[in-house]
Every structure is written in structure tokens, then in C-alpha cells.
Amino acid sequence: MRVGVLLSGEGTSLENLCERIDAGEVPAEVVVVIASKESAGGLERARRRGIPAVAVPRKRHPDVGEFNDRLHVELEKHGAELVALLGFLSPFQIRGYPGRVLNVHPALIPAFSGRGFYGSRVHEAVLAQGCRVSGATVHFADDEYDNGPIILQEAVPVREDDDVASLAARVQEAERRLVPEAVRLYAEGRLVVEGRRVRILERPASPADGPR
Amino acid sequence: MRVGVLLSGEGTSLENLCERIDAGEVPAEVVVVIASKESAGGLERARRRGIPAVAVPRKRHPDVGEFNDRLHVELEKHGAELVALLGFLSPFQIRGYPGRVLNVHPALIPAFSGRGFYGSRVHEAVLAQGCRVSGATVHFADDEYDNGPIILQEAVPVREDDDVASLAARVQEAERRLVPEAVRLYAEGRLVVEGRRVRILERPASPADGPR
């Protein structure tokens, strides 16, 4: 499974996905990393691994359509079959990838999701509301923020003395488990979308299962 | 700590709270049980335990103010210091009990909470959205639905084959842990509300702690 990764930050989630792929746990290959900022640390991580790394700076493409034109040119050029949004803070238009875009959100959707809830703002809101539980979500993305069907979620506790940094770190630990698992399940053909629900098949779909 | 319990249903959460009190785990006493339906099974459970049990049928008091007049007369008559809403499906007005009303909600507030989200509707919505995690919340109630500061939350998994009944049962298991614990912390004077957040003191507040 050829995966295109889009990111805006340091790429720790990319690094972790690559490690799980290298360990043989995820039948996938990251074929291109695209960042919405030239300064994104994820680009350097990709280059160190020999993965094509491209900056498509959002600020140089103020028109969201043109910005997405550039993203999709790169995805297609590298033959991405699946798109993973790993901390991508700009709007991504699905276009030719319906049902083939995974997004990770640092909260338990539907809580603290949608427009305005990204990055540390999510954790600030969780702490401000005094929640005892937060978590991470991997879902299929569509053209609305944080809207598509949920694939995996993991809850994490919010501690009495948490600040944004400590809560973010705990949520990122959960993300490091969820993202490779979701890519694996997708690559094995085990995710079946039924309306807003995602069913996970017990074992990989195969022709012997008959028509589906 | 004298606790008045308001409920609308079978009173399994009441029964569980009484068991924890009987076991010496919660320094409290249920002094009255008030139901919004004459048919509420919780009334019979209360009577079996010798707890005063009163029906204030919502349908015979269509005016919400008059309905609450009757509730508050009963609470005051029995000297309730804390009010616990354990599956109370009618509107309760806080009146003389600010910061002294606990409500249990069968989801992780702010998800699936607020007007229209009560009883099995909560679980139907969680399943319809395909969430992988739900949970239970105990919070201080104010005069808005599901709005007050969160005291305790516990996440529970949503299974692939869950229906409303199986998910409700798993959430209720969490509620059976949270409700007695919240009453205990309140009775021990260990809950400090700071804006929308609740701080749990490590040990009971005592005069030796100095001014707070």
C-alpha cells in the first residue's frame, strides 16, 4: 500500500509509522511526505529515510484550490493510494481520494472537534472544560473538518496537574498506537464503511469470502 | 452527609450507592428518594431499605416550577444536604442547592450531552456516529442540561457488535464506580470547584489546612 503523508510539524507520527513499517508490522510504504510549511521538521525526517519530501507552503498558495492542486499533483506523481493526514493543519480537499484519506485528531470525536479545534487548542479546551478523559481518533476524512467515519479511538486520562504539553504528550502516545494500526487495517482491506460506522473485519478480505 | 436521591427508573444506581454506603465506603446516608414517576422501581427499592420514598409525578405537575416546588419541599423536609440525580429524566431546578447537586450522565461530556440526550438516546447517538469510546460522567449540576463542572469520568469501549442495551450496561458498570466515589469525595470535603474545573484534594480538608 503506497501511502502519501501530509503534515505541518515535526513528523513524530510519521517517524513512528515508518518504524512500525520497518518492523514489518504494517504492509505499507510511505512514498511521499508533503508539508504545508517549509520549516516542518517532518521534511527532514523524510529525507533522512530517503522518502521524497516536498514543501507546498500554504502561505505561498493563499487560494485553497490552487494549494490543493499542488498537493494532488505530488500525491499522484508518487502514486499514493492512501493519504494519511498526520498533523496537517491546512485544509485538504479529498478530490480523487474518497474513502482513502485517514486523519488523526487529538481528541475523542465528536468532542473538541470541528473548525477551530486543532493542535494545542484542542488540549486547551479539554483542560478549560475540566474533562477527566480525552483521547485520540483516527477517522476517514471527508471535505468537512473531523467529520468522516471513525476508524479507531483510544481514551487517555486527564490528570489533575496536566498542562497542554503533558496532555498533548499522552494523547500523542495513543496516536502512535492508532495510526499504524489504522494504516495496517486499511492496507489489509479490513475496513468496511457502513454509513457513519466502520466495521473492522476479523481477517483480511479475500476472494474466498465471496462477493461483498 | 444526608443525601437526597432523585430518579425516574429502576434505581439500580441507588441500590449500588446504598450497598457502598452499607459497606462503610461512603460516609453518607440516603435520607429520601424522590421519583418523577409513580411506577419508578427505585421507589420500591427505597422502601425495602426503609428509606422514605416519594413520588412526585411529572405528568401531574405540568408546570416545571410547581413540580420543583414539590421536589424541594421533600428535600428540605428530609434535611438533604446533597442532591444526587441518578437517572432523573425531568428538569431539576437547583434553587437552594448550588454546588450541592450531582448528576450522572451516560456519556463523556461534552460529547452526546445537553438537551435531547438522555437515557437510551445517548447510546443510540454514540452507536450511530460509530464511536469506539464512550463513558460516564458525574458532574455538579447547574440549571443548564449537563453543563456543570465535571467531577469524575470513566471511558468504556464501544464494541463492534454493541447494541443500545449492551452499551448501556457497560456504561452503567462505570456509573456504579463513579457515583459512590463522587459522593464519597463530596462528603469528605475533597471537591474544590475552580471555575469549570474541579480539583480533588489528596486528603480530606481539615481546619489544620489553614484558610482556603
Side-chain angles (χ1 to χ4, degrees):
Chain A
M1 178 66 52
R2 299 172 66 83
V3 183
V5 169
L6 273 62
L7 51 76
S8 302
E10 289 310 300
T12 53
S13 188
L14 165 71
E15 186 80 33
N16 172 67
L17 174 61
C18 290
E19 285 168 6
R20 300 277 69 75
I21 290 171
D22 291 349
E25 296 168 20
V26 183
E29 172 190 6
V30 178
V31 294
V32 64
V33 170
I34 309 171
S36 60
K37 294 176 183 176
E38 273 173 338
S39 62
L43 291 172
E44 182 51 33
R45 286 189 201 256
R47 287 187 196 107
R48 277 202 299 268
R49 289 180 167 274
I51 300 169
V54 187
V56 179
R58 175 74 171 104
K59 64 182 178 188
R60 276 206 246 140
H61 301 277
D63 181 87
V64 71
E66 284 174 28
F67 173 66
N68 271 269
D69 290 346
R70 294 286 301 120
L71 300 177
H72 280 273
V73 163
E74 293 297 337
L75 289 169
E76 280 156 37
K77 187 162 84 183
H78 293 91
E81 300 165 285
L82 174 69
V83 177
L85 306 175
L86 303 183
F88 188 67
L89 301 182
S90 298
F92 178 71
Q93 298 172 342
I94 303 300
R95 299 193 182 178
Y97 288 89
R100 297 195 290 148
V101 181
L102 306 187
N103 184 45
V104 57
H105 185 76
L108 292 175
I109 291 175
F112 305 104
S113 65
R115 187 173 288 272
F117 284 115
Y118 56 86
S120 60
R121 293 191 187 191
V122 172
H123 307 302
E124 283 166 14
V126 168
L127 293 172
Q129 181 143 2
C131 295
R132 301 292 187 181
V133 172
S134 190
T137 302
V138 178
H139 65 98
F140 283 112
D142 59 21
D143 281 326
E144 276 183 62
Y145 281 107
D146 303 330
N147 185 62
I150 293 167
I151 301 168
L152 298 170
Q153 292 185 304
E154 185 177 323
V156 306
V158 181
R159 309 265 186 227
E160 196 92 339
D161 59 352
D162 265 333
D163 56 19
V164 167
S166 63
L167 177 56
R170 198 174 305 117
V171 169
Q172 281 159 16
E173 277 176 42
E175 293 177 2
R176 283 197 282 275
R177 286 183 286 272
L178 296 186
V179 170
E181 176 69 3
V183 173
R184 182 174 75 86
L185 291 169
Y186 183 89
E188 292 178 351
R190 293 172 59 189
L191 299 178
V192 181
V193 178
E194 297 172 342
R196 290 191 62 72
R197 299 177 68 164
V198 177
R199 195 153 55 88
I200 299 176
L201 301 178
E202 283 292 316
R203 58 199 174 80
S206 79
D209 289 336
R212 296 186 13 235
Chain B
M1 179 65 53
R2 298 172 66 80
V3 182
V5 169
L6 274 61
L7 51 76
S8 303
E10 289 310 299
T12 52
S13 188
L14 165 70
E15 186 80 34
N16 172 66
L17 174 60
C18 290
E19 286 168 7
R20 300 276 68 77
I21 290 172
D22 291 349
E25 297 167 19
V26 183
E29 172 191 6
V30 178
V31 293
V32 64
V33 170
I34 308 171
S36 60
K37 294 177 183 176
E38 274 171 338
S39 62
L43 292 172
E44 181 51 32
R45 286 187 203 258
R47 287 187 196 108
R48 276 202 300 266
R49 287 178 168 274
I51 300 169
V54 186
V56 178
R58 175 72 170 109
K59 63 182 180 188
R60 276 207 246 137
H61 302 275
D63 182 87
V64 71
E66 284 172 29
F67 173 66
N68 272 268
D69 290 347
R70 294 285 301 119
L71 300 177
H72 280 272
V73 163
E74 295 295 337
L75 288 169
E76 281 155 35
K77 187 162 87 185
H78 293 91
E81 300 166 283
L82 174 68
V83 177
L85 306 175
L86 303 184
F88 188 66
L89 301 183
S90 299
F92 178 71
Q93 297 171 343
I94 303 299
R95 298 193 182 179
Y97 288 90
R100 298 196 289 148
V101 181
L102 306 186
N103 184 45
V104 56
H105 185 76
L108 293 175
I109 291 175
F112 305 103
S113 64
R115 187 174 288 273
F117 284 115
Y118 56 86
S120 61
R121 292 191 190 190
V122 172
H123 307 302
E124 282 166 15
V126 168
L127 293 173
Q129 183 144 359
C131 293
R132 300 292 185 181
V133 173
S134 189
T137 301
V138 178
H139 65 99
F140 284 114
D142 60 20
D143 281 326
E144 274 183 65
Y145 282 107
D146 304 329
N147 184 61
I150 293 166
I151 302 168
L152 298 170
Q153 292 185 305
E154 184 178 324
V156 307
V158 181
R159 309 266 185 226
E160 195 91 340
D161 57 353
D162 265 332
D163 56 20
V164 167
S166 62
L167 177 56
R170 197 174 307 116
V171 169
Q172 281 159 17
E173 277 176 44
E175 292 176 3
R176 283 197 283 275
R177 286 182 287 271
L178 297 186
V179 170
E181 175 70 2
V183 173
R184 181 174 76 85
L185 291 169
Y186 183 89
E188 292 178 350
R190 293 172 59 190
L191 299 178
V192 180
V193 177
E194 298 172 341
R196 291 191 62 73
R197 299 177 68 164
V198 177
R199 196 153 55 87
I200 299 176
L201 301 178
E202 284 293 316
R203 58 200 175 81
S206 79
D209 289 336
R212 300 193 1 241

